[in-house]
Amino acid sequence: MEPCIQLRNLTKDFDSPSAGTIRAVDGIDLDVGPGEIVALLGPNGAGKTSTIDLILGFIEPTAGDVAVFGRTPRQAVAEGRVSAVLQTGGLLRDLTVRETVELLASIHQAPTGPGSDPVADVLERTGLTGRADRLVKVCSGGEQQRLRFALALLADPDLLLLDEPTAGMDVDARQSFWAAMNVEADRGRTIVFATHYLQEAEDFARRTVLLSGGRIVADGPTDQIRSRAAGRTVRARVAADRIDDAVETIRRMPDVRRVAANGNRLTVETAESDIIAGVLIRDFGATGLEIEAASLERAFLALTSGATD
């Protein structure tokens, strides 16, 4: 099937009077297929927003190519196949929520959902029905982001691009936003979102593209990236008279990153947790065994710091 997004050697430079030429995107190659849910994860300055802007056609690449459904970004947007939820802008503060949606709905001919009223449909799907008569300027940050989400759904797009969609939201608003987004994902939309919230990528993305310094440093299923960079942590209790032997034995085994003992409590960071656990139980009579999956945070830190190739 044709990829929704194809990026080839994508590069973007910006000129700064004080810093000279700044390379925000540095030779990215990326394909995103239909129905994927992809997180562009990275610290501030990693190139996430610039990549989103290039896919939307807001800015032109310095080098490389961008194709969206086999077309230029602007063609794909004009055809209604792509919508975006951005961090700021795009709202008229003196209109109500309903008036804002009605204004944009007037340029779309087809209804967006199973009902005949696209305005009521998107307000319901984004949890804004009870806020429909509220002025935009008195809406909270989370409500304004949900309004941007409602506007993005009006075109019934095949691809949704989200740039830090929950920035500034409190925990409840963030959970509400992602609950609504999960429903859209279940409808089969392709969703690409840029975020620096590790938990969002871990909870929502099926695939994570990790960016650092404008480059892709990891790309794959979220759980694989997590385990590849940081492995798992094995903890167990070993008899005091055997703890030193256990440390030396485990330290010599392959794929062991760290071994530490605190009293009779042994902690091992490894990519082969099952093998380590077996050795501890079989050879050293270990008890109280615990195996903890690595967090995406540890993978993120390891990969973006250059600690892992």
Side-chain angles (χ1 to χ4, degrees):
M1 297 180 66
E2 179 187 56
C4 297
I5 299 171
Q6 283 185 309
L7 310 181
R8 293 292 180 268
N9 194 33
L10 190 64
T11 302
K12 180 60 182 178
D13 295 337
F14 293 98
D15 292 326
S16 167
S18 59
T21 299
I22 298 172
R23 178 150 293 181
V25 179
D26 192 3
I28 286 179
D29 291 312
L30 180 67
D31 285 358
V32 176
E36 286 199 89
I37 302 172
V38 182
L40 301 180
L41 179 64
N44 291 332
K48 305 185 300 297
T49 294
S50 294
T51 300
I52 293 288
D53 286 349
L54 287 161
I55 296 170
L56 287 169
F58 289 165
I59 56 177
E60 295 294 325
T62 303
D65 298 301
V66 184
V68 183
F69 297 107
R71 298 162 174 75
T72 68
R74 292 188 179 184
Q75 287 172 332
V77 170
E79 292 172 4
R81 302 197 68 183
V82 184
S83 286
V85 180
L86 305 180
Q87 294 183 57
T88 58
L91 300 176
L92 299 174
R93 292 169 51 82
D94 292 324
L95 295 183
T96 66
V97 168
R98 188 191 310 278
E99 288 169 342
T100 302
V101 178
E102 288 174 341
L103 180 63
L104 193 59
S106 66
I107 68 173
H108 296 288
Q109 296 181 356
T112 63
S116 59
D117 185 348
V119 173
D121 178 47
V122 298
L123 289 174
E124 177 66 26
R125 285 157 62 188
T126 55
L128 287 172
T129 301
R131 303 288 189 271
D133 296 321
R134 179 174 292 185
L135 289 175
V136 170
K137 64 184 176 184
V138 299
C139 288
S140 68
E143 289 167 346
Q144 290 188 15
Q145 278 299 80
R146 279 190 282 162
L147 176 54
R148 293 185 180 96
F149 180 26
L151 298 178
L153 292 178
L154 280 169
D156 195 22
D158 298 310
L159 170 64
L160 270 174
L161 293 169
L162 318 173
D163 185 16
E164 300 281 1
T166 62
M169 289 188 189
D170 60 28
V171 174
D172 289 341
R174 191 175 297 138
Q175 289 177 343
S176 176
F177 179 87
W178 284 116
M181 193 61 66
N182 269 305
V183 173
E184 296 307 315
D186 290 341
R187 292 171 180 249
R189 298 189 199 279
T190 303
I191 297 175
V192 178
F193 66 98
T195 184
H196 65 272
Y197 290 118
L198 294 159
Q199 197 63 48
E200 285 188 349
E202 192 146 27
D203 290 346
F204 187 69
R206 298 167 194 170
R207 172 184 173 192
T208 294
V209 177
L210 190 56
L211 296 173
S212 182
R215 298 180 180 181
I216 294 176
V217 296
D219 178 4
T222 302
D223 58 347
Q224 289 185 13
I225 288 180
R226 181 178 57 209
S227 60
R228 189 187 82 186
R232 294 175 179 263
T233 300
V234 180
R235 295 184 178 89
R237 287 189 296 272
V238 178
D241 61 345
R242 307 203 65 191
I243 191 72
D244 291 340
D245 288 341
V247 169
E248 289 305 315
T249 298
I250 298 300
R251 186 171 285 151
R252 291 194 297 269
M253 295 180 66
D255 297 315
V256 172
R257 294 187 174 93
R258 187 177 75 90
V259 183
N262 183 9
N264 71 336
R265 189 69 171 165
L266 187 67
T267 300
V268 183
E269 292 181 7
T270 176
E272 298 292 347
S273 57
D274 292 344
I275 294 174
I276 297 299
V279 169
L280 289 172
I281 293 172
R282 183 184 66 247
D283 297 345
F284 297 98
T287 60
L289 186 73
E290 299 174 3
I291 299 178
E292 177 186 326
S295 68
L296 189 58
E297 180 177 6
R298 289 172 60 190
F300 178 86
L301 293 172
L303 288 164
T304 56
S305 67
T308 300
D309 185 1

